Amino acid sequence: MFENLSDKLTQTLRGIQGRAKLSEENVSDALRDVRMALLEADVALPVVKTFIEQVKTKALGTVISNALNPGEQFVKIVHDELVHTMGDANDALNLAAAPPVIILMAGLQGAGKTTTVAKLARYLSEREKKKVAVVSADVYRPAAIAQLQTLAAEVKAHFIESTADEAPLAIAERAVAEAKKQFADVLIVDTAGRLAVDEAMMGEIRSLQDTLQPVETLFVVDAMTGQDAANTAQAFNQALTLTGVILAKADGDARGGAALSVRAITGKPIKFLGMGEKSDALEPFYPDRLASRILG
Ligand code: GDP
């Protein structure tokens, strides 16, 4: 199936060896294979349509080279278009601003937001040698603050205390002052998630963004929700100025459908993939690596 897409395409196109060009007739079966694979990976339909059109245009304009057979050539066109649809290159976090660089985290409940805060804190301290402070402005879910405290201890990030009876904005402002006092390079602010997009939550995170003026506002989304991930990301993107997306639980989405849809629909870069529950399971997102994984 999707894991073997490149084999399947090579097989479908085996018959056209020796022709000078990939023609409409001989690529139509291969395009159907790609379309099926994308739909099975739960890529949003408009994204599939645009993708197929782009691949078709490129394939029909391609002269078969001597070095590659038609199947390999078509696979390369699909690969390159996957890379392009997912944003071409890695888009790193903007850490060059005056410290503390504020990173605001947004997302629905259960998406993996709090876990991702800890992963990001660990990544920034180990890989970028940053001093990281974290705070939770989630005053609604009783266990949320304690969960972040435990995770912060595990990844050795500075945990800024907060309590459920404080207002999220007050917590955020206090945390910035404290992060400055601690000479933290980065302050990551965890926020409340809801089960679905609702106005109250959007209003609250919007006012946090207005007050904090974060350098990065990252949307954490569950990759296993496929095209719904893209729709949720777009709803947040319309309410907030997102600077990037983190696809959590990408270890459960080998088919990569969410990555394609999220990037194509929101236009925002995917900056990291969450690849497991442990605090070291965070990888910078490289479109070419995922494209290769998708093609198998
Ligand atoms: P929040 O409500 O958005 O803060 O979500 P949590 O951080 O509490 O995560 C919800 C669940 O998803 C937890 O059981 C996490 O261990 C799990 N989780 C988070 N990120 C990942 C990931 O990248 N891969 C996997 N497999 N599980 C994850």
Side-chain angles (χ1 to χ4, degrees):
M1 218 180 55
F2 209 71
E3 274 95 326
N4 297 319
L5 181 59
S6 66
D7 287 349
K8 182 155 180 49
L9 292 173
T10 308
Q11 209 172 343
T12 302
L13 291 166
R14 207 165 33 196
I16 59 168
Q17 204 115 22
R19 298 197 197 177
K21 265 192 156 197
L22 292 166
S23 73
E24 181 128 17
E25 184 194 352
N26 63 36
V27 298
S28 71
D29 287 347
L31 286 170
R32 196 163 50 235
D33 292 343
V34 176
R35 186 184 157 84
M36 283 301 296
L38 294 176
L39 291 174
E40 277 166 18
D42 201 20
V43 177
L45 191 56
V47 179
V48 176
K49 284 190 169 152
T50 308
F51 187 87
I52 295 295
E53 276 310 307
Q54 304 281 17
V55 170
K56 187 174 170 182
T57 307
K58 285 189 184 143
L60 296 185
T62 300
V63 176
I64 294 171
S65 81
N66 293 329
L68 298 175
N69 68 39
E72 285 169 345
Q73 199 142 8
F74 187 81
V75 168
K76 186 179 180 319
I77 292 169
V78 174
H79 175 274
D80 292 351
E81 197 54 35
L82 285 170
V83 173
H84 182 63
T85 305
M86 292 190 289
D88 290 313
N90 172 254
D91 203 316
L93 289 178
N94 177 6
L95 300 171
V101 170
I102 298 171
I103 301 178
L104 183 64
M105 305 290 280
L108 294 182
Q109 194 172 310
K113 192 157 27 68
T114 305
T115 311
T116 304
V117 169
K119 289 177 180 176
L120 197 54
R122 178 168 174 175
Y123 177 89
L124 291 173
S125 89
E126 287 181 0
R127 307 273 193 97
E128 306 278 347
K129 308 293 171 218
K130 300 290 184 192
K131 184 173 175 189
V132 183
V134 298
V135 68
S136 172
D138 184 353
V139 297
Y140 308 101
R141 198 161 57 95
I145 298 172
Q147 183 191 356
L148 183 62
Q149 181 164 24
T150 306
L151 291 171
E154 189 194 315
V155 300
K156 300 186 180 65
H158 178 71
F159 175 74
I160 297 175
E161 307 248 350
S162 54
T163 59
D165 54 16
E166 281 176 280
L169 274 184
I171 292 173
E173 285 174 331
R174 194 170 48 70
V176 175
E178 164 102 15
K180 279 185 184 154
K181 223 160 49 188
Q182 297 282 338
F183 297 104
D185 299 307
V186 178
L187 169 65
I188 308 177
V189 181
D190 196 6
T191 62
R194 301 281 157 86
L195 291 175
V197 174
D198 80 40
E199 250 326 295
M201 173 180 65
M202 288 298 187
E204 179 178 296
I205 191 147
R206 212 181 293 130
S207 61
L208 278 167
Q209 186 172 55
D210 288 346
T211 303
L212 289 168
Q213 297 285 312
V215 174
E216 295 277 357
T217 300
L218 301 176
F219 181 68
V220 179
V221 66
D222 180 343
M224 292 200 286
T225 60
Q227 59 178 305
D228 277 349
N231 296 332
T232 319
Q234 185 60 342
F236 275 77
N237 190 38
Q238 278 158 356
L240 292 171
T241 314
L242 297 183
T243 57
V245 176
I246 298 183
L247 276 186
K249 308 182 197 176
D251 50 313
D253 178 37
R255 301 172 305 174
L260 275 168
S261 300
V262 165
R263 174 67 208 225
I265 289 176
T266 66
K268 296 292 159 128
I270 296 163
K271 298 207 168 185
F272 291 93
L273 297 180
M275 295 298 290
E277 295 189 79
K278 298 223 175 85
S279 65
D280 63 352
L282 186 73
E283 294 177 5
F285 177 69
Y286 288 98
D288 56 342
R289 286 188 202 163
L290 189 56
S292 301
R293 208 172 90 190
I294 289 172
L295 278 165

